[in-house]
Amino acid sequence: MAVLARRIRPDDWTPMGVEALEANALIVAKSDDHRSVIAGPGAGKTELLAQRAAFLLQTGATPAPQRILAISYKRDAATNLATRVRQRCHRSHAARFDSMTFDAFAKGLLDRFGQVLPERWRPRPDYEIMWTNDDLFRGFLHQQVGAPPPEIGTMADIQAIGVKAFERHHLVGHPLPVEGWRPAPAQWAADRFWQSSLHEGAKTRLSFPMIGRLVELLLRLNPMARQALRLTYSHLFMDEFQDTTQVQYDLVKTIFLGSGTVITAVGDNKQQIMRWAMAMDDPFAAFDADFGAVRTPLFNNYRSSPELVRIQHVLAQALDPMAAEPVSKAKPTIDGASCAIWDFSTPQVEAARLAAFIAADMKAFELSPRDFVLLIRQRADRYAAVLEPAFQAAGLSLRNEASMIGAVALQDLLPDEASRLIIGLLRLATSPRAGRYWSECQEALSVLRGIGPDDASAQGRFARELDEFALGLAKRHPAPTTDRAQTVAVVREAVRFIGRDRLLAAHPAYAQGNWLGKILEAAVLHLTASAAGAADWSAALDAYEGVHAVPLMTIHKSKGLEYHTVIFVGLDDDAWRRSFVEDQVEATAGFFVAFTRAKQRVLFTYCARRGARQAIATLYQLLLGAGVQIVEVA
């Protein structure tokens, strides 16, 4: 239960909602200087930031009306941190905690101050969010941009620019020059892309990295706006800091370097899997050098058993030879090996044995299907085609969460904010005991509507409105339906109550490529399919969320999740060769991230019929060096 809204003496403050914090975490929570926190898997990074927020707000280190700004890479991470702070603090304190993504933060500033930019860099107010990819830049460089002036270079010079390097190193690689670019082929091409995106065509079209660069420029040129942010935020938290891009780091540096705002950057350099998305090579070193931050490691692992933590450390040292050895705080609950490589004769034998193993383990340890996960590197459909019949024969349901629902992968739909709100409202409207769903909906929607936690009158009005909506929704739609038109009506009612404009304002990424429209279309399709064979709304919503199914997902999407048992299916060259060739460090980091999702057991499967294991021999050497055994399974 959150403490009352009273000020606590710093010496009297203790962590809320946990038994204790490890020594270094407690030091960081109470610190008054810049800190770069290297925290490994299961170290409680989100909990550390939530406790630090509680300390600052409850002790008056962040006095009203000052606020705390928390910036995360992903939307679900920002939401989870905000929820954790609300659980740890009185609502009047939590109301002064702003948790958002980098993209939302930058877009909000551009929308507020963008029209003060110099004309050369000023977007139209009704700009659109633009998707960028290699094909877009290849078409621009090879077809659209044309030949540069003779004094700049030739068309051959433009076409020699690497497609992948164009965005990272030229388009958004450096802070924007006020007066324009120096005369060189790559800079000329970058300027042409900027000017065509800003000023040519019916609307301005900007990617989020471009928005970040524009905001950095406007704050560099506008000291009053910069000072307003410094006065507003006494502290800044940066979560998943290892994935910070140069664009994001430069923006933070322009705003806060030399100010009184105290920054806490938390992450794990061994879990850097976003280098393909322009993550800096070593943001921690840059932060320490620029801000004089104190490097503070965390050593505890509260997720994984001691044997898994020992193996994790072997993998960690391959990424960082200086990695500190973590200490497991989790108790082992299984008998036998915590990690093994299972060799199968055929994919069919593999599927049957995995299904039988999971069914037996569920019974032996009283586990649910979602205590397990099957992870694959790519081409989930190929694996699912063999695995699903075997799981069905064993009385289990396997769900391919990498499958596409319309234009959206299921593994992207399930954690999406709009999808979760729609399902939450349906749970509230149709559950006999809906207390938990009512409080979750009330809390989330109050934030979207901007209703302050201390505004009792507005909170009361909204509570009555929420009750009325839930009762009406249940009356109008008493049972789930497989009729798509009726499902569309259900989703539209929910979105109307939530507020489409509110969603767009709170989550700028929804406007990128009409992502919100794609999410809602996928929600309709998936909800319609989930109603098939469902006796009531509870069963349909369980099917939507996959409550009773073992998930099959890509390794990349497992980040931030945790499971009793993690099973890597297909540790072979066929699945892994390409990622190893393109970036072995990032591939190894992805392997490490997925391995560390497990609490008690990790299994790897191999079948020679799918491919050799020569290109990825490095991974096998790491596992065998850690004492992991290969077991021949008939």
Side-chain angles (χ1 to χ4, degrees), residues 217-235:
L217 175 62
L218 75 83
L219 291 172
R220 194 178 351 131
L221 299 177
N222 192 328
M224 291 183 63
R226 190 167 65 244
Q227 185 63 14
L229 289 169
R230 293 177 171 185
L231 293 173
T232 298
Y233 294 112
S234 67
H235 291 77

Side-chain angles (χ1 to χ4, degrees), residues 34-243:
H34 301 305
R35 295 275 172 162
S36 64
V37 183
I38 303 294
K45 294 183 282 292
T46 302
E47 186 61 46
L48 165 62
L49 292 177
Q51 296 292 346
R52 176 150 174 73
F55 173 82
L56 296 172
L57 294 164
Q58 292 166 355
T59 63
T62 295
Q66 285 190 307
R67 309 176 70 84
I68 298 171
L69 173 63
I71 306 178
S72 302
Y73 191 88
K74 294 170 62 178
R75 212 166 51 235
D76 55 349
T79 300
N80 291 340
L81 178 55
T83 299
R84 195 80 62 96
V85 170
R86 287 195 293 269
Q87 293 170 343
R88 302 288 178 261
C89 297
H90 187 273
R91 60 185 184 180
S92 64
H93 286 149
R96 291 193 286 121
F97 183 78
D98 297 332
S99 183
M100 63 188 77
T101 64
F102 263 106
D103 289 344
F105 176 63
K107 186 176 186 301
L109 291 172
L110 185 66
D111 292 346
R112 288 169 59 192
F113 303 116
Q115 296 311 297
V116 304
L117 279 163
E119 184 177 356
R120 177 183 188 84
W121 300 109
R122 188 184 308 150
R124 297 171 185 142
D126 59 344
Y127 65 90
E128 292 181 344
I129 303 296
M130 170 175 55
W131 292 101
T132 59
N133 52 43
D134 287 354
D135 288 340
L136 174 71
F137 294 127
R138 184 178 294 107
F140 175 78
L141 292 171
H142 292 188
Q143 300 171 17
Q144 298 168 20
V145 67
E151 65 272 17
I152 299 294
T154 66
M155 191 64 198
D157 294 326
I158 301 300
Q159 294 185 348
I161 301 170
V163 170
K164 291 186 179 297
F166 179 67
E167 180 181 31
R168 182 174 191 135
H169 298 300
H170 305 300
L171 188 70
V172 295
H174 304 280
L176 297 176
V178 178
E179 299 300 331
W181 307 80
R182 63 187 179 86
Q187 282 71 34
W188 177 84
D191 185 61
R192 285 300 309 131
F193 191 94
W194 270 104
Q195 298 309 312
S196 63
S197 299
L198 285 165
H199 305 302
E200 300 170 14
K203 284 189 175 182
T204 294
R205 301 178 71 244
L206 301 170
S207 67
F208 278 111
M210 293 170 74
I211 288 174
R213 280 300 181 206
L214 290 174
V215 172
E216 189 281 330
L217 175 62
L218 75 83
L219 291 172
R220 194 178 351 131
L221 299 177
N222 192 328
M224 291 183 63
R226 190 167 65 244
Q227 185 63 14
L229 289 169
R230 293 177 171 185
L231 293 173
T232 298
Y233 294 112
S234 67
H235 291 77
L236 167 67
F237 299 169
M238 289 189 288
D239 195 10
E240 300 291 353
F241 188 61
Q242 76 277 354
D243 291 328

Side-chain angles (χ1 to χ4, degrees), residues 10 33 41 78 94 180 339 400 402 418 466 484 505 577 591 598:
D33 53 4
C339 185
N400 176 10
L466 181 59
R484 186 176 181 278
R577 180 189 292 109
F591 183 81

